[in-house]
Amino acid sequence: MDAIADEAGGKRARGLDRAFEILDFLRQKRQALKPNEIAAQIGAPRSSVYELVNLLLRNGILEFSGGDGRVYLGRKLYFLGAAYEHHFDFTRECEAALERLADETRETAQFCMLDGNKYTVVRMREGARPFRISTDIGQSVPIPWTASGRLLVTHMSDAEILDFIPKEDFRLPDGEWLDPQAFLAEVRQAEADGFFTFNSIVDSFTHCFAVPVMDEGQAAATLCLVTPKADGLANRDRYIDCLKAAASGLSHAPKRG
């Protein structure tokens, strides 16, 4: 009987893993898809994907969108997110910090975290410039492409970092490969300095700044500025000081309500 119970529990766990995989896939694709398209692109059996999609539809986690049986993330996820934000004061503190940074620097300010083994922008406040410099909120980006990525893995050993980051993520947008050892050296320098800045790998016109938001001795998140290259270099010290001051106010969060 114990073996049967273990097998049933294992199937439920695999079903949950697959359901989360479907949700995360739709989040990354940012478009409604048919269940058979989801199954093909995540490499899952169509029968199990259809079963899970129907379960998620019944519970409002997915909704039909765009016709032809396409599905996308459901509004219940919004209410779950709203409940999370109500429980944690951290979100409101973060929004205030980003607003201050954008006002003080006129640059685009971002709050960033790891999402699995990728980097993502969680919150953003655009600066006062007439043109837009930003990354879409929630978009997954390889860790080595980002200034924040050098700070968000500092709590790991070098071997853990190389095991954590997919090898293909060291291929840069222009097709060149970033030497993993060079990346590790930048991680350790960022850890010692308490910040990291560089000319963006993704956008040749911008300069990026990041400082850690500390929680229990490690970088749980980062505050960032994304600036035009010339302005970023000209105001480097001031921008770093602004970021550090803002991050210090967040580093004792989250506060539980």
Side-chain angles (χ1 to χ4, degrees), residues 136-213:
D136 290 338
I137 292 175
Q139 180 180 351
S140 294
V141 178
I143 290 170
W145 295 12
T146 68
S148 291
R150 275 75 176 167
L151 293 160
L152 291 170
V153 296
T154 52
H155 62 286
M156 302 180 187
S157 69
D158 288 359
E160 288 172 334
I161 292 171
L162 295 182
D163 185 57
F164 179 66
I165 299 175
K167 290 181 175 59
E168 62 270 20
D169 284 5
F170 287 98
R171 184 189 288 274
L172 303 178
D174 62 2
E176 294 294 318
W177 285 90
L178 173 63
D179 178 5
Q181 294 303 316
F183 175 77
L184 292 175
E186 291 175 341
V187 168
R188 297 309 166 207
Q189 188 62 55
E191 183 177 22
D193 292 340
F195 64 88
F196 188 79
T197 82
F198 73 165
N199 291 328
S200 173
I201 289 172
V202 177
D203 182 349
S204 60
F205 299 102
T206 61
H207 192 81
C208 302
F209 297 78
V211 302
V213 176

Side-chain angles (χ1 to χ4, degrees), residues 7-157:
E7 182 179 353
K11 287 181 179 179
R12 285 194 295 271
R14 288 192 294 274
L16 281 171
D17 287 342
R18 185 70 77 190
F20 284 121
E21 184 180 7
I22 291 168
L23 295 173
D24 200 50
F25 177 74
L26 287 171
R27 178 183 68 85
Q28 292 182 34
K29 297 297 288 186
R30 304 230 169 182
Q31 65 183 66
L33 294 168
K34 298 178 182 178
N36 64 318
E37 294 172 328
I38 297 171
Q41 293 189 53
I42 68 174
R46 290 176 61 183
S47 59
S48 64
V49 170
Y50 272 96
E51 181 180 357
L52 288 167
V53 164
N54 285 327
L55 177 63
L56 294 169
L57 285 167
R58 287 198 300 273
N59 286 278
I61 303 300
L62 292 180
E63 294 178 356
F64 287 112
S65 177
D68 297 327
R70 292 182 175 86
V71 298
Y72 194 60
L73 304 176
R75 68 191 66 189
K76 182 170 282 188
L77 293 172
Y78 169 81
F79 295 118
L80 292 172
Y84 174 85
E85 291 193 355
H86 177 76
H87 187 63
F88 289 89
D89 292 337
F90 188 43
T91 303
R92 288 186 289 275
E93 294 180 18
C94 175
E95 292 284 4
L98 292 177
E99 186 170 356
R100 286 196 303 272
L101 277 171
D103 288 345
E104 290 171 356
T105 65
R106 301 181 68 251
E107 309 290 2
T108 296
Q110 299 176 336
F111 178 78
C112 308
M113 300 180 75
L114 291 182
D115 178 17
N117 60 6
K118 296 290 191 290
Y119 152 98
T120 190
V121 176
V122 179
R123 288 284 188 275
M124 180 175 65
R125 184 63 60 113
E126 291 188 9
R129 296 185 177 278
F131 52 92
R132 186 174 185 266
I133 301 177
S134 63
T135 300
D136 290 338
I137 292 175
Q139 180 180 351
S140 294
V141 178
I143 290 170
W145 295 12
T146 68
S148 291
R150 275 75 176 167
L151 293 160
L152 291 170
V153 296
T154 52
H155 62 286
M156 302 180 187
S157 69

